[in-house]
Amino acid sequence: MPPNARSRRITIDDVARSAGVSRQTVSRAVNDKPEIDPATRQRVLEVAQAMGYRPSRFARGMVGPGLTTLGLVIADVLNPFFPEVVSGVLSAADEHGWQVAIYSTGSALERESAVAATVVDHVDACVAFLLDPAAIELVQRSGMPFVLLDNEHRPAAVSGGRIDFATGMRQAVGHLVERGHRRIAMLDDRGRPDAGDRGTRHSLFLRAATECGLPADGGWVFPAANSLDGGAAAMDDVLDTGFGATAVLAYNDLIAIGAMRRARARGVSVPEDCAFVGCDGLTLSRLVDPPLTTLLVDKELLGRAAVQQVAALMTGAQARETVIVPRLVVRASS
């Protein structure tokens, strides 16, 4: 096995370069097609075996007449963001007669490549929430139809689904400014590996705040673990540092709800003393007291659109991007 076989899957293009033939010739050799010289076939197969090449199901032509399996990679089965995405994928896949295999990375960046390696061996196409560039490259190089969701650094050659949080943050910050708030704390997910890069939600928050005339800087952003407890701990930081926030805008609804509950437990009146706004639009956000203002993302549409992109890729379409624009839903928390 080559030294990097665990980190990067050997592709049909790798074999073609090593054997000095076209990728079509490699495909004919590994699929035992007649339109190839026997000696060339033997040489290609020996190169493929030496390199440890394993054709993906898609490369072996199993997508056509057989049952198509779509792999869906999510971060965490317990995160309430994902069930609606899964619902959209399942319903759209059913319309195509496909089956869906669901994989979870457990929100662990270090597990993404291992999960990706499993996926490319067992499915015909892939829709994935992935952040690790090595895992993304592994799926991309397999040659299967691939749609990458919610990743600001998506390679241009890969189809994707993106949530337009730039527009969303402008809506949320504008709403709070209209309500008279001039001191807004942003609770950001500290677990994102791209924290600090342009395009992340806290950067978009700072940009929106500046556009609204607020003197926002990095001191307005407080890191939070992506959970209810994480939101509560981050709210303690906001209150204990004396930041003086009259409003809190959180990375997502889970963090916002945890923060709001902790604020009320510490005697802060919501929204009179401090307003709260979340992101994602979870069903849970309607059920808390007071109901949470949130940037609602149509998560089912995100899943359905990804499946339609996969179907287009299977017909030879070029990579493209679907953009989902959040909608501000104002409730009693703000």
PDB file of all heavy atoms in Angstrom, residues 11-33:
ATOM      1  N   THR A  11      -6.765   7.388  -7.448  1.00  0.00           N
ATOM      2  CA  THR A  11      -7.861   7.569  -8.397  1.00  0.00           C
ATOM      3  C   THR A  11      -7.511   6.994  -9.759  1.00  0.00           C
ATOM      4  O   THR A  11      -6.347   6.643 -10.043  1.00  0.00           O
ATOM      5  CB  THR A  11      -8.206   9.054  -8.549  1.00  0.00           C
ATOM      6  OG1 THR A  11      -7.126   9.691  -9.254  1.00  0.00           O
ATOM      7  CG2 THR A  11      -8.414   9.719  -7.194  1.00  0.00           C
ATOM      8  N   ILE A  12      -8.498   6.976 -10.620  1.00  0.00           N
ATOM      9  CA  ILE A  12      -8.302   6.489 -11.983  1.00  0.00           C
ATOM     10  C   ILE A  12      -7.299   7.370 -12.730  1.00  0.00           C
ATOM     11  O   ILE A  12      -6.525   6.892 -13.566  1.00  0.00           O
ATOM     12  CB  ILE A  12      -9.657   6.423 -12.725  1.00  0.00           C
ATOM     13  CG1 ILE A  12      -9.511   5.656 -14.042  1.00  0.00           C
ATOM     14  CG2 ILE A  12     -10.241   7.802 -12.944  1.00  0.00           C
ATOM     15  CD1 ILE A  12     -10.848   5.373 -14.722  1.00  0.00           C
ATOM     16  N   ASP A  13      -7.271   8.675 -12.402  1.00  0.00           N
ATOM     17  CA  ASP A  13      -6.320   9.579 -13.047  1.00  0.00           C
ATOM     18  C   ASP A  13      -4.885   9.253 -12.631  1.00  0.00           C
ATOM     19  O   ASP A  13      -3.952   9.363 -13.445  1.00  0.00           O
ATOM     20  CB  ASP A  13      -6.644  11.032 -12.691  1.00  0.00           C
ATOM     21  CG  ASP A  13      -7.962  11.490 -13.290  1.00  0.00           C
ATOM     22  OD1 ASP A  13      -8.211  11.175 -14.462  1.00  0.00           O
ATOM     23  OD2 ASP A  13      -8.748  12.143 -12.584  1.00  0.00           O
ATOM     24  N   ASP A  14      -4.701   8.870 -11.359  1.00  0.00           N
ATOM     25  CA  ASP A  14      -3.369   8.480 -10.894  1.00  0.00           C
ATOM     26  C   ASP A  14      -2.847   7.272 -11.679  1.00  0.00           C
ATOM     27  O   ASP A  14      -1.683   7.224 -12.106  1.00  0.00           O
ATOM     28  CB  ASP A  14      -3.394   8.143  -9.405  1.00  0.00           C
ATOM     29  CG  ASP A  14      -3.740   9.336  -8.537  1.00  0.00           C
ATOM     30  OD1 ASP A  14      -3.321  10.456  -8.881  1.00  0.00           O
ATOM     31  OD2 ASP A  14      -4.417   9.139  -7.514  1.00  0.00           O
ATOM     32  N   VAL A  15      -3.712   6.289 -11.848  1.00  0.00           N
ATOM     33  CA  VAL A  15      -3.326   5.075 -12.582  1.00  0.00           C
ATOM     34  C   VAL A  15      -3.019   5.407 -14.034  1.00  0.00           C
ATOM     35  O   VAL A  15      -2.035   4.919 -14.611  1.00  0.00           O
ATOM     36  CB  VAL A  15      -4.437   4.011 -12.484  1.00  0.00           C
ATOM     37  CG1 VAL A  15      -4.078   2.787 -13.323  1.00  0.00           C
ATOM     38  CG2 VAL A  15      -4.671   3.612 -11.027  1.00  0.00           C
ATOM     39  N   ALA A  16      -3.854   6.259 -14.632  1.00  0.00           N
ATOM     40  CA  ALA A  16      -3.640   6.625 -16.034  1.00  0.00           C
ATOM     41  C   ALA A  16      -2.292   7.308 -16.227  1.00  0.00           C
ATOM     42  O   ALA A  16      -1.553   6.994 -17.182  1.00  0.00           O
ATOM     43  CB  ALA A  16      -4.778   7.547 -16.495  1.00  0.00           C
ATOM     44  N   ARG A  17      -1.945   8.236 -15.322  1.00  0.00           N
ATOM     45  CA  ARG A  17      -0.651   8.914 -15.443  1.00  0.00           C
ATOM     46  C   ARG A  17       0.513   7.935 -15.283  1.00  0.00           C
ATOM     47  O   ARG A  17       1.502   7.980 -16.020  1.00  0.00           O
ATOM     48  CB  ARG A  17      -0.553  10.028 -14.398  1.00  0.00           C
ATOM     49  CG  ARG A  17      -1.286  11.309 -14.771  1.00  0.00           C
ATOM     50  CD  ARG A  17      -0.909  12.446 -13.830  1.00  0.00           C
ATOM     51  NE  ARG A  17      -1.370  12.182 -12.475  1.00  0.00           N
ATOM     52  CZ  ARG A  17      -2.542  12.540 -12.000  1.00  0.00           C
ATOM     53  NH1 ARG A  17      -3.404  13.164 -12.801  1.00  0.00           N
ATOM     54  NH2 ARG A  17      -2.887  12.274 -10.757  1.00  0.00           N
ATOM     55  N   SER A  18       0.405   7.038 -14.296  1.00  0.00           N
ATOM     56  CA  SER A  18       1.489   6.103 -14.037  1.00  0.00           C
ATOM     57  C   SER A  18       1.672   5.108 -15.175  1.00  0.00           C
ATOM     58  O   SER A  18       2.795   4.728 -15.515  1.00  0.00           O
ATOM     59  CB  SER A  18       1.217   5.360 -12.723  1.00  0.00           C
ATOM     60  OG  SER A  18       2.277   4.504 -12.393  1.00  0.00           O
ATOM     61  N   ALA A  19       0.545   4.692 -15.789  1.00  0.00           N
ATOM     62  CA  ALA A  19       0.614   3.709 -16.874  1.00  0.00           C
ATOM     63  C   ALA A  19       0.858   4.352 -18.230  1.00  0.00           C
ATOM     64  O   ALA A  19       1.119   3.647 -19.219  1.00  0.00           O
ATOM     65  CB  ALA A  19      -0.675   2.891 -16.912  1.00  0.00           C
ATOM     66  N   GLY A  20       0.749   5.683 -18.290  1.00  0.00           N
ATOM     67  CA  GLY A  20       0.967   6.371 -19.555  1.00  0.00           C
ATOM     68  C   GLY A  20      -0.154   6.171 -20.549  1.00  0.00           C
ATOM     69  O   GLY A  20       0.079   6.117 -21.768  1.00  0.00           O
ATOM     70  N   VAL A  21      -1.396   6.046 -20.047  1.00  0.00           N
ATOM     71  CA  VAL A  21      -2.559   5.853 -20.908  1.00  0.00           C
ATOM     72  C   VAL A  21      -3.643   6.858 -20.507  1.00  0.00           C
ATOM     73  O   VAL A  21      -3.491   7.607 -19.542  1.00  0.00           O
ATOM     74  CB  VAL A  21      -3.111   4.410 -20.801  1.00  0.00           C
ATOM     75  CG1 VAL A  21      -2.071   3.398 -21.262  1.00  0.00           C
ATOM     76  CG2 VAL A  21      -3.562   4.110 -19.366  1.00  0.00           C
ATOM     77  N   SER A  22      -4.740   6.840 -21.237  1.00  0.00           N
ATOM     78  CA  SER A  22      -5.856   7.728 -20.908  1.00  0.00           C
ATOM     79  C   SER A  22      -6.703   7.108 -19.799  1.00  0.00           C
ATOM     80  O   SER A  22      -6.626   5.894 -19.537  1.00  0.00           O
ATOM     81  CB  SER A  22      -6.730   7.961 -22.140  1.00  0.00           C
ATOM     82  OG  SER A  22      -7.410   6.764 -22.495  1.00  0.00           O
ATOM     83  N   ARG A  23      -7.510   7.954 -19.142  1.00  0.00           N
ATOM     84  CA  ARG A  23      -8.385   7.415 -18.099  1.00  0.00           C
ATOM     85  C   ARG A  23      -9.424   6.468 -18.699  1.00  0.00           C
ATOM     86  O   ARG A  23      -9.875   5.528 -18.044  1.00  0.00           O
ATOM     87  CB  ARG A  23      -9.054   8.555 -17.315  1.00  0.00           C
ATOM     88  CG  ARG A  23     -10.085   9.345 -18.056  1.00  0.00           C
ATOM     89  CD  ARG A  23     -10.492  10.626 -17.329  1.00  0.00           C
ATOM     90  NE  ARG A  23     -10.718  10.452 -15.911  1.00  0.00           N
ATOM     91  CZ  ARG A  23     -11.883  10.080 -15.379  1.00  0.00           C
ATOM     92  NH1 ARG A  23     -12.893   9.798 -16.195  1.00  0.00           N
ATOM     93  NH2 ARG A  23     -12.025   9.979 -14.083  1.00  0.00           N
ATOM     94  N   GLN A  24      -9.809   6.705 -19.994  1.00  0.00           N
ATOM     95  CA  GLN A  24     -10.754   5.801 -20.653  1.00  0.00           C
ATOM     96  C   GLN A  24     -10.152   4.402 -20.813  1.00  0.00           C
ATOM     97  O   GLN A  24     -10.849   3.385 -20.665  1.00  0.00           O
ATOM     98  CB  GLN A  24     -11.163   6.359 -22.026  1.00  0.00           C
ATOM     99  CG  GLN A  24     -12.041   7.592 -21.978  1.00  0.00           C
ATOM    100  CD  GLN A  24     -11.264   8.870 -21.710  1.00  0.00           C
ATOM    101  OE1 GLN A  24     -10.019   8.843 -21.740  1.00  0.00           O
ATOM    102  NE2 GLN A  24     -11.964   9.963 -21.457  1.00  0.00           N
ATOM    103  N   THR A  25      -8.845   4.356 -21.099  1.00  0.00           N
ATOM    104  CA  THR A  25      -8.165   3.061 -21.233  1.00  0.00           C
ATOM    105  C   THR A  25      -8.145   2.333 -19.892  1.00  0.00           C
ATOM    106  O   THR A  25      -8.363   1.107 -19.830  1.00  0.00           O
ATOM    107  CB  THR A  25      -6.739   3.255 -21.756  1.00  0.00           C
ATOM    108  OG1 THR A  25      -6.795   3.860 -23.058  1.00  0.00           O
ATOM    109  CG2 THR A  25      -6.001   1.928 -21.844  1.00  0.00           C
ATOM    110  N   VAL A  26      -7.873   3.068 -18.807  1.00  0.00           N
ATOM    111  CA  VAL A  26      -7.907   2.446 -17.484  1.00  0.00           C
ATOM    112  C   VAL A  26      -9.302   1.898 -17.198  1.00  0.00           C
ATOM    113  O   VAL A  26      -9.457   0.776 -16.703  1.00  0.00           O
ATOM    114  CB  VAL A  26      -7.499   3.458 -16.393  1.00  0.00           C
ATOM    115  CG1 VAL A  26      -7.631   2.816 -15.006  1.00  0.00           C
ATOM    116  CG2 VAL A  26      -6.088   3.944 -16.616  1.00  0.00           C
ATOM    117  N   SER A  27     -10.341   2.688 -17.518  1.00  0.00           N
ATOM    118  CA  SER A  27     -11.717   2.248 -17.273  1.00  0.00           C
ATOM    119  C   SER A  27     -12.023   0.970 -18.046  1.00  0.00           C
ATOM    120  O   SER A  27     -12.630   0.030 -17.513  1.00  0.00           O
ATOM    121  CB  SER A  27     -12.688   3.355 -17.673  1.00  0.00           C
ATOM    122  OG  SER A  27     -14.028   2.938 -17.509  1.00  0.00           O
ATOM    123  N   ARG A  28     -11.578   0.923 -19.307  1.00  0.00           N
ATOM    124  CA  ARG A  28     -11.816  -0.279 -20.111  1.00  0.00           C
ATOM    125  C   ARG A  28     -11.100  -1.487 -19.521  1.00  0.00           C
ATOM    126  O   ARG A  28     -11.633  -2.595 -19.494  1.00  0.00           O
ATOM    127  CB  ARG A  28     -11.349  -0.046 -21.557  1.00  0.00           C
ATOM    128  CG  ARG A  28     -12.170   0.977 -22.321  1.00  0.00           C
ATOM    129  CD  ARG A  28     -11.769   1.020 -23.794  1.00  0.00           C
ATOM    130  NE  ARG A  28     -12.501   2.042 -24.517  1.00  0.00           N
ATOM    131  CZ  ARG A  28     -11.974   3.210 -24.891  1.00  0.00           C
ATOM    132  NH1 ARG A  28     -10.705   3.468 -24.626  1.00  0.00           N
ATOM    133  NH2 ARG A  28     -12.709   4.086 -25.539  1.00  0.00           N
ATOM    134  N   ALA A  29      -9.873  -1.255 -19.007  1.00  0.00           N
ATOM    135  CA  ALA A  29      -9.093  -2.366 -18.465  1.00  0.00           C
ATOM    136  C   ALA A  29      -9.739  -2.928 -17.198  1.00  0.00           C
ATOM    137  O   ALA A  29      -9.908  -4.149 -17.067  1.00  0.00           O
ATOM    138  CB  ALA A  29      -7.666  -1.907 -18.172  1.00  0.00           C
ATOM    139  N   VAL A  30     -10.091  -2.061 -16.256  1.00  0.00           N
ATOM    140  CA  VAL A  30     -10.611  -2.548 -14.975  1.00  0.00           C
ATOM    141  C   VAL A  30     -12.026  -3.087 -15.107  1.00  0.00           C
ATOM    142  O   VAL A  30     -12.473  -3.899 -14.284  1.00  0.00           O
ATOM    143  CB  VAL A  30     -10.555  -1.455 -13.890  1.00  0.00           C
ATOM    144  CG1 VAL A  30      -9.124  -1.006 -13.645  1.00  0.00           C
ATOM    145  CG2 VAL A  30     -11.440  -0.269 -14.241  1.00  0.00           C
ATOM    146  N   ASN A  31     -12.746  -2.663 -16.181  1.00  0.00           N
ATOM    147  CA  ASN A  31     -14.096  -3.165 -16.389  1.00  0.00           C
ATOM    148  C   ASN A  31     -14.147  -4.282 -17.428  1.00  0.00           C
ATOM    149  O   ASN A  31     -15.236  -4.708 -17.823  1.00  0.00           O
ATOM    150  CB  ASN A  31     -15.027  -2.017 -16.808  1.00  0.00           C
ATOM    151  CG  ASN A  31     -15.333  -1.065 -15.670  1.00  0.00           C
ATOM    152  OD1 ASN A  31     -16.034  -1.413 -14.724  1.00  0.00           O
ATOM    153  ND2 ASN A  31     -14.794   0.150 -15.749  1.00  0.00           N
ATOM    154  N   ASP A  32     -12.953  -4.748 -17.840  1.00  0.00           N
ATOM    155  CA  ASP A  32     -12.829  -5.878 -18.767  1.00  0.00           C
ATOM    156  C   ASP A  32     -13.605  -5.647 -20.060  1.00  0.00           C
ATOM    157  O   ASP A  32     -14.307  -6.532 -20.561  1.00  0.00           O
ATOM    158  CB  ASP A  32     -13.304  -7.167 -18.082  1.00  0.00           C
ATOM    159  CG  ASP A  32     -12.776  -8.413 -18.791  1.00  0.00           C
ATOM    160  OD1 ASP A  32     -11.713  -8.307 -19.443  1.00  0.00           O
ATOM    161  OD2 ASP A  32     -13.426  -9.469 -18.686  1.00  0.00           O
ATOM    162  N   LYS A  33     -13.475  -4.448 -20.607  1.00  0.00           N
ATOM    163  CA  LYS A  33     -14.129  -4.126 -21.873  1.00  0.00           C
ATOM    164  C   LYS A  33     -13.290  -4.661 -23.036  1.00  0.00           C
ATOM    165  O   LYS A  33     -12.054  -4.756 -22.939  1.00  0.00           O
ATOM    166  CB  LYS A  33     -14.301  -2.612 -22.015  1.00  0.00           C
ATOM    167  CG  LYS A  33     -15.170  -1.981 -20.936  1.00  0.00           C
ATOM    168  CD  LYS A  33     -16.604  -2.452 -21.031  1.00  0.00           C
ATOM    169  CE  LYS A  33     -17.481  -1.738 -20.017  1.00  0.00           C
ATOM    170  NZ  LYS A  33     -18.886  -2.201 -20.061  1.00  0.00           N
TER     171      LYS A  33
END
